[in-house]
Amino acid sequence: MLIAIDENDERPMYVQIVNQIKEQVQSGDLKPGDALPSVRELGESLGVNLHTVHSAYKKLREQGVVTLRLGQRAKIAKLRQNPASKEEIETVLGTRLKELTTEAFHLGISLDEMRGLFEDHLEATQHKGAKK
Amino acid sequence: MLIAIDENDERPMYVQIVNQIKEQVQSGDLKPGDALPSVRELGESLGVNLHTVHSAYKKLREQGVVTLRLGQRAKIAKLRQNPASKEEIETVLGTRLKELTTEAFHLGISLDEMRGLFEDHLEATQHKGAKK
Amino acid sequence: MLIAIDENDERPMYVQIVNQIKEQVQSGDLKPGDALPSVRELGESLGVNLHTVHSAYKKLREQGVVTLRLGQRAKIAKLRQNPASKEEIETVLGTRLKELTTEAFHLGISLDEMRGLFEDHLEATQHKGAKK
Amino acid sequence: MLIAIDENDERPMYVQIVNQIKEQVQSGDLKPGDALPSVRELGESLGVNLHTVHSAYKKLREQGVVTLRLGQRAKIAKLRQNPASKEEIETVLGTRLKELTTEAFHLGISLDEMRGLFEDHLEATQHKGAKK
DNA sequence: GTGGTCTAGACCACC
DNA sequence: GTGGTCTAGACCACT
């Protein structure tokens, strides 16, 4: 469990924690059934309020990434079997994709360069997943 | 100038305005030199306070998308000629790309499907840009 | 944190706040990681609205001088390691240098006197930085 | 008389006009007694309102750079004989010098580099003055 | 009429 | 408690 708060990242701390845990699930560092550190442990090691860690865990439960049970540690949930509906995918990812390319455009990047960046990223992700 | 505030969109109104104007610059609907509506006009037509529009315009200026000068309407700035540094690109887009694929993973989408979505979006963007 | 609004200074209050904080970072009175007063506190102590302080803090964030995160006090950011590009330096400082000497000329000051003034100022700055 | 409004320069147009005329007086392009273009001429050639040019000329008169007489063109005034008092110099230039070095500091420029920049600028100014 | 600054007060999300 | 957003209304400087 390597989680770190990036001071330069302006997003709320709990969002950073959520994202990093989700990334570790994706990469395979965390597998279904694995226990997460207790709220207290993680809070201490990150130097943040327990409250903050707790709201991160709650968010992860909402998204079906972890399961929480009173008195027990949070556990990574089973991966979802059935993929989201096309509609949901479009709503959640479509907007973000659009914004990503708009952002790229205003940074002066061509669509082809963007494509390259995306491919590189996808490959890196695949390899990372493979080696685990 | 077609801008609309989506009440269901949880992001701040001024961010929605910023994004939509940036999209219109990307699509070619707005070209360098074009004048934007005054903060009062746009505010009225959107049913929001002029200050909200103003903060959107300020954000756009920060990002080099528009130029603001006292006494004159906001104008679309000329497009940046030299693309951002590799570093900046990586910081700004890299993180977002990573999160996008993580999001996709947790929606149960394979990387190949993700690639398809991305390609579709890129093509749509290219055609839109071309037809203008 | 000694900040004061100069009523005779025609520049906006928020700019004065920005400048004074940047000076204190330069002099070493404020160091990376140091927390700034809350917008409410500083506003009260200066006798200005908290929004005025807030817009100063936002400007400082734009310039990379402070980091802002919801729920936490503004903090002095770590100093930039890699200096600005020659281009940026020329645009930002070149114009101001040019105007400074033009101003000096019209005040009847010779370039040599100007040089003296500049040297004096530079030395004063160095000593101030050194003694901290 | 080569004057141009820089669209990227956020300062008021009249300020840009004022500065450019003062620079041309400094460089020797404009000499005491020289007539400036009429408000109408300059306004047309710059594509700005007469009002804007007029307020620039008024500002120049305030600063003793030009003389205005009803029905006549603005004329470059005699250069000031007696330099400004030390006090005035310190008030006008001291603050700006301080801000310049603070700006430089936050751009990651060392005081020595700053010194170099200043020297370069001063030399360029001297040569320009000399060749006229 | 345009953007820019300031005040005032509200409510929210985060820590 | 903190900063972030939004409203509302005032006044100013610039075009």
Side-chain angles (χ1 to χ4, degrees):
Chain A
M1 279 294 300
L2 288 174
I3 293 189
I5 301 297
D6 179 357
E7 284 292 336
N8 297 330
D9 192 334
E10 288 172 6
R11 286 170 311 178
M13 290 169 167
Y14 87 92
V15 171
Q16 293 190 39
I17 298 175
V18 165
N19 285 340
Q20 291 186 42
I21 290 180
K22 286 169 84 174
E23 278 164 23
Q24 296 191 15
V25 173
Q26 182 187 16
S27 73
D29 286 345
L30 286 172
K31 293 189 189 59
D34 284 358
L36 293 180
S38 76
V39 169
R40 186 165 283 102
E41 279 171 12
L42 187 50
E44 252 173 57
S45 76
L46 292 179
V48 304
N49 198 296
L50 308 187
H51 185 359
T52 305
V53 180
H54 187 61
S55 66
Y57 281 11
K58 269 197 308 186
K59 200 78 186 173
L60 285 166
R61 181 182 55 185
E62 273 177 38
Q63 301 185 7
V65 179
V66 309
T67 59
L68 293 178
R69 203 180 301 270
L70 256 177
Q72 293 187 23
R73 299 208 160 187
K75 281 193 177 51
I76 302 295
K78 295 194 299 263
L79 297 184
R80 74 185 293 166
Q81 324 276 15
N82 45 346
S85 68
K86 268 201 171 181
E87 264 183 344
E88 196 183 347
I89 292 175
E90 187 49 33
T91 336
V92 177
L93 297 185
T95 316
R96 295 179 69 161
L97 255 177
K98 191 162 146 196
E99 281 177 18
L100 195 63
T101 52
T102 302
E103 210 62 53
F105 171 82
H106 285 282
L107 285 173
I109 300 170
S110 73
L111 289 183
D112 273 341
E113 287 169 310
M114 192 60 208
R115 201 186 312 262
L117 230 82
F118 186 75
E119 278 306 329
D120 289 352
H121 181 67
L122 239 53
E123 270 184 43
T125 306
Q126 273 169 330
H127 291 165
K128 213 164 115 197
K131 83 167 174 239
K132 301 281 162 183
Chain B
M1 281 293 304
L2 288 175
I3 292 187
I5 302 295
D6 179 357
E7 292 292 342
N8 298 326
D9 192 333
E10 65 196 342
R11 285 170 311 178
M13 292 170 170
Y14 83 93
V15 171
Q16 295 188 39
I17 298 175
V18 165
N19 286 341
Q20 292 186 42
I21 290 179
K22 285 170 85 173
E23 280 164 21
Q24 295 192 17
V25 173
Q26 185 186 14
S27 74
D29 287 344
L30 286 173
K31 292 188 192 62
D34 285 356
L36 294 177
S38 80
V39 291
R40 288 164 181 85
E41 276 173 15
L42 187 51
E44 206 170 331
S45 77
L46 293 179
V48 304
N49 195 282
L50 79 171
H51 289 120
T52 305
V53 178
H54 187 54
S55 74
Y57 282 11
K58 275 196 297 190
K59 200 80 186 174
L60 286 165
R61 176 180 55 188
E62 261 181 55
Q63 303 186 3
V65 179
V66 310
T67 59
L68 295 178
R69 183 178 278 119
L70 218 171
Q72 294 187 190
R73 295 205 165 191
K75 280 188 179 49
I76 302 295
K78 60 178 192 294
L79 300 182
R80 69 186 297 168
Q81 53 271 42
N82 42 351
S85 68
K86 272 199 169 180
E87 240 187 346
E88 198 182 346
I89 292 174
E90 187 48 34
T91 355
V92 178
L93 297 185
T95 319
R96 295 180 71 159
L97 255 176
K98 194 161 142 195
E99 281 177 18
L100 196 63
T101 51
T102 301
E103 212 61 54
F105 171 82
H106 285 280
L107 284 172
I109 301 170
S110 73
L111 288 184
D112 272 342
E113 287 170 311
M114 191 60 210
R115 185 172 303 162
L117 231 82
F118 186 75
E119 276 306 328
D120 290 352
H121 181 67
L122 237 53
E123 270 184 42
T125 306
Q126 272 169 330
H127 291 166
K128 212 163 116 198
K131 83 167 175 237
K132 300 280 165 183
Chain C
M1 280 292 304
L2 288 174
I3 293 187
I5 301 296
D6 179 357
E7 292 292 341
N8 299 325
D9 192 334
E10 64 196 343
R11 286 170 310 177
M13 291 170 171
Y14 83 92
V15 171
Q16 294 187 41
I17 297 174
V18 165
N19 286 340
Q20 291 185 43
I21 290 179
K22 286 170 83 173
E23 279 163 22
Q24 295 191 17
V25 173
Q26 184 185 15
S27 74
D29 286 344
L30 286 172
K31 292 187 192 61
D34 285 356
L36 293 178
S38 79
V39 291
R40 289 165 181 85
E41 276 173 15
L42 187 51
E44 204 171 332
S45 77
L46 293 179
V48 305
N49 194 283
L50 79 172
H51 289 119
T52 305
V53 178
H54 186 55
S55 74
Y57 282 12
K58 275 196 297 190
K59 200 80 188 175
L60 286 165
R61 175 181 57 187
E62 263 180 55
Q63 303 185 5
V65 179
V66 310
T67 60
L68 295 179
R69 181 177 281 121
L70 220 171
Q72 295 187 192
R73 297 206 163 190
K75 280 187 178 50
I76 302 294
K78 60 178 192 293
L79 300 182
R80 71 185 296 167
Q81 52 270 44
N82 42 350
S85 67
K86 271 200 170 180
E87 241 185 344
E88 196 182 347
I89 292 175
E90 187 48 34
T91 353
V92 177
L93 296 185
T95 319
R96 295 180 71 158
L97 255 176
K98 194 161 143 194
E99 282 177 19
L100 196 62
T101 51
T102 301
E103 211 61 53
F105 171 82
H106 285 280
L107 284 172
I109 300 170
S110 73
L111 289 183
D112 272 343
E113 287 168 310
M114 191 61 209
R115 199 186 313 260
L117 231 81
F118 185 74
E119 277 305 329
D120 289 352
H121 180 66
L122 238 54
E123 270 183 43
T125 306
Q126 272 170 329
H127 291 165
K128 214 162 112 197
K131 84 165 173 239
K132 302 280 166 187
Chain D
M1 279 297 298
L2 288 173
I3 293 187
I5 301 296
D6 179 357
E7 285 292 335
N8 297 330
D9 192 334
E10 287 172 6
R11 286 170 311 177
M13 290 170 167
Y14 87 92
V15 170
Q16 293 190 39
I17 298 175
V18 165
N19 284 341
Q20 291 186 42
I21 290 180
K22 285 169 84 173
E23 278 163 24
Q24 295 191 16
V25 172
Q26 183 187 16
S27 73
D29 288 345
L30 286 172
K31 292 189 189 61
D34 285 356
L36 292 179
S38 76
V39 168
R40 185 164 285 101
E41 280 169 11
L42 187 51
E44 253 173 57
S45 75
L46 292 180
V48 303
N49 198 295
L50 308 188
H51 186 0
T52 305
V53 180
H54 187 62
S55 67
Y57 281 11
K58 269 198 306 188
K59 199 78 186 174
L60 285 165
R61 181 183 54 187
E62 273 175 39
Q63 301 186 5
V65 179
V66 310
T67 59
L68 295 177
R69 205 180 300 270
L70 257 178
Q72 291 187 24
R73 300 209 160 186
K75 279 192 178 53
I76 302 296
K78 294 195 299 265
L79 298 183
R80 74 186 293 167
Q81 325 277 15
N82 44 345
S85 68
K86 269 199 169 181
E87 265 183 344
E88 196 182 349
I89 292 175
E90 187 48 35
T91 337
V92 177
L93 297 185
T95 317
R96 296 180 68 161
L97 257 176
K98 191 163 146 195
E99 281 177 18
L100 196 63
T101 51
T102 301
E103 211 62 53
F105 171 81
H106 285 282
L107 285 172
I109 300 169
S110 73
L111 289 183
D112 273 341
E113 287 169 310
M114 191 60 209
R115 201 186 310 262
L117 231 82
F118 186 74
E119 277 306 327
D120 289 352
H121 180 67
L122 239 54
E123 270 183 43
T125 306
Q126 273 170 330
H127 291 164
K128 214 163 113 197
K131 82 167 176 237
K132 301 281 162 181

